Amino acid sequence: MTSDQTIPSAVSWFEMPADDLDRAAGFYRSVFGWRTPPMGADGAYALTVAADEHGNPTEVGGINGGLHRRTDPADAGPVVNIHVADVDAVLQQVVAAGGQVVRPRTEVPEFGLSMALFADTEGNVLGVYRSGGAED
């Protein structure tokens, strides 16, 4: 499955904060056998199951993720990310349904993504993203 074939509204990525990236990457390698290649310029790691050249899982049920350096005490736990066709439209739906935008759409040109964070009606923080870069 290439990034162009990602199913919209599917949970397809998770992120976890870490105080010590090397220690955390070693933990997940040791316990689960996950690959932990470096990702990005800030020393982050990917957490991957079997994946194609685009980083998409090649095994049914596989969801890739990443470790990033915790920079804010509020960055307390894992975030599940949902692939969507239009980040702004989803954020409007979140607000209309009683949720709130935690971080508005942000462009991540290094990875060709648009992403945002929202809180649901129960205070759970999740992410939405669109691969393929900036939206109009």
Side-chain angles (χ1 to χ4, degrees):
M1 173 179 282
T2 67
S3 58
D4 295 332
Q5 296 172 321
T6 303
I7 301 167
S9 300
V11 172
S12 56
W13 181 260
F14 65 90
E15 293 184 21
M16 293 190 296
D19 295 316
D20 183 321
L21 290 171
D22 292 332
R23 179 179 64 207
F27 174 84
Y28 288 100
R29 277 193 309 269
S30 175
V31 174
F32 298 108
W34 290 351
R35 292 181 294 153
T36 58
M39 178 181 71
D42 64 353
Y45 287 97
L47 297 173
T48 65
V49 295
D52 66 15
E53 68 277 7
H54 302 289
N56 296 307
T58 56
E59 296 176 358
V60 174
I63 298 175
N64 288 330
L67 292 167
H68 64 272
R69 188 170 316 283
R70 187 186 329 267
T71 57
D72 182 334
D75 193 5
V79 172
V80 173
N81 290 282
I82 303 162
H83 185 265
V84 298
D86 185 329
V87 171
D88 290 327
V90 170
L91 294 178
Q92 289 174 356
Q93 292 172 320
V94 163
V95 172
Q100 75 179 99
V101 175
V102 174
R103 183 184 307 144
R105 187 185 86 204
T106 304
E107 303 306 319
V108 187
E110 180 178 5
F111 298 110
L113 301 174
S114 298
M115 61 180 292
L117 294 176
F118 71 92
D120 67 11
T121 56
E122 309 311 304
N124 298 304
V125 175
L126 291 95
V128 289
Y129 76 98
R130 177 184 177 274
S131 54
E135 298 175 31
D136 295 329

